[in-house]
Amino acid sequence: MSDDKPTTWTTAITQIEPNHVRLRGYDIGELMGPVSFGSAVYLILRGELPDEKVGRLMEAILVSSIDHGATPPSALAARTAASTGASLSASVAAGLLAINRYHGGAIEDCAHQLAHIVRRCDETGQSLDCVAEVMLDEMKQAGQRMAGFGHRIHTDDPRTKRLFDLAVEAGVDGPHMEAARAVHRVFASAGKNLPMNVDGAIAAVLAELGFEPSVMNGLFMIARLPGLIAHALEEQARQRPMRRIDPTNHTYDGPPPRSLNPNP
Ligand SMILES: CC(C)(COP(=O)(O)OP(=O)(O)OC[C@H]1O[C@@H](n2cnc3c(N)ncnc32)[C@H](O)[C@@H]1OP(=O)(O)O)[C@@H](O)C(=O)NCCC(=O)NCCS
């Protein structure tokens, strides 16, 4: 007997009907205005709206990684494509393609490694520092690096402490953030000044929020997209086509340092 029924597949993200758009069940018009972009990102990825504090933390994560100047591989990739006359979408796609294990994509690996430390502690009853020390030693022997630590420019990544402070303020702290602190302590006691970078801080905070590691690099991509667009557009507006782009030999000529609170 042949089955003539039309095949159908299901999606639980957004319901579209004539004159109606419902994101995870919520009418888009109701979300527009009161709900921040960070909360909407949480909603689409997790299926529920976060509470206000977690929504603000999501915003802070997205702001923390919006741009890091012209030297990151993704900015250089976007600029290189833009300098060839590529469209905005192609330039930005080139930038996104450069987000991987060692740049922007360290978040997922870091989350796995922090979870590994937490699991080993639970299994063995040993302290976080003890387990972190053994794991880092094993990784060193295997020629591997602890994702989310170290930075080419910063010795004390300004985004890390702020993100951890905001998480604690939002009532978010726990074993993954503790494991990240332990890794930092173990590096320091071995005489290695390897700061927890923003990828590491995001990994620890997202893990505390219950995000799966597989989605975490996506949050970095969402955050960095405006920066990549700005770099691609600036490249085409201010530079000649197909120039030789030196990765580091540039100077900043934007606004001087300023504050949201000019008269504190
Ligand atoms: C980001 C990164 C590429 C910067 O590297 P760098 O400042 O150029 O440092 P180097 O590659 O010169 O390494 C210097 C030393 O620190 C060690 N090191 C650097 N980062 C390390 C890490 N994450 N874990 C373990 N050891 C690390 C190196 O093995 C090297 O040790 P050695 O002197 O005994 O050989 C590097 O720290 C790294 O790979 N980090 C992990 C990936 C990551 O978090 N990326 C996101 C960056 S925002």
Side-chain angles (χ1 to χ4, degrees):
M1 201 173 84
S2 73
D3 186 358
D4 294 336
K5 274 194 219 153
T7 52
T8 175
W9 56 280
T10 51
T11 168
I13 302 170
T14 305
Q15 186 183 24
I16 303 292
E17 286 171 348
N19 307 327
H20 290 285
V21 175
R22 292 187 202 89
L23 192 73
R24 301 288 190 192
Y26 291 103
D27 185 88
I28 197 80
E30 195 186 349
L31 296 175
M32 289 162 63
V35 171
S36 70
F37 186 61
S39 293
V41 168
Y42 186 103
L43 172 65
I44 201 158
L45 296 177
R46 300 290 294 278
E48 296 297 334
L49 277 169
D51 66 29
E52 213 181 302
K53 283 181 171 176
V54 170
R56 276 204 300 274
L57 193 52
M58 289 295 296
E59 288 288 304
I61 289 172
L62 294 175
V63 171
S64 73
S65 297
I66 191 165
D67 193 43
H68 195 264
T71 58
S74 55
L76 288 170
R79 281 181 176 270
T80 301
S83 81
T84 68
S87 66
L88 181 61
S89 59
S91 305
V92 170
L96 285 176
L97 287 171
I99 292 176
N100 294 294
R101 170 156 281 157
Y102 300 112
H103 163 52
I107 304 175
E108 180 178 340
D109 283 348
C110 181
H112 282 300
Q113 289 158 351
L114 295 178
H116 181 78
I117 294 174
V118 173
R119 216 171 29 248
R120 266 212 209 169
C121 280
D122 289 346
E123 286 164 5
T124 62
Q126 290 176 314
S127 71
L128 283 168
D129 289 60
C130 196
V131 169
E133 190 175 352
V134 172
M135 191 187 91
L136 291 175
D137 198 45
E138 286 169 358
M139 289 177 74
K140 192 173 177 181
Q141 305 305 324
Q144 294 165 352
R145 289 179 170 205
M146 176 71 202
F149 285 79
H151 202 282
R152 294 190 310 190
I153 296 168
H154 306 303
T155 53
D156 186 9
D157 192 323
R159 302 160 293 184
T160 302
K161 184 179 178 315
R162 178 77 177 138
L163 202 53
F164 265 40
D165 285 350
L166 288 168
V168 171
E169 267 173 42
V172 174
D173 200 347
H176 299 89
M177 287 168 66
E178 280 302 335
R181 293 181 184 107
V183 168
H184 187 244
R185 280 193 298 272
V186 171
F187 274 137
S189 63
K192 286 222 169 232
N193 183 20
L194 286 176
M196 189 192 315
N197 58 48
V198 72
D199 289 23
I202 292 175
V205 171
L206 289 179
E208 296 305 344
L209 291 177
F211 277 86
E212 289 297 327
S214 56
V215 77
M216 292 184 183
N217 290 346
L219 275 150
F220 183 88
M221 294 174 210
I222 295 167
R224 187 51 61 91
L225 199 65
L228 295 177
I229 292 171
H231 282 286
L233 291 175
E234 188 186 66
E235 180 67 27
Q236 287 182 336
R238 296 187 70 182
Q239 307 294 340
R240 62 187 168 74
M242 224 179 111
R243 69 183 174 115
R244 289 183 203 280
I245 302 179
D246 186 309
T248 53
N249 185 18
H250 59 267
T251 48
Y252 171 80
D253 66 354
R258 49 183 166 168
S259 170
L260 293 175
N261 305 304
N263 303 310

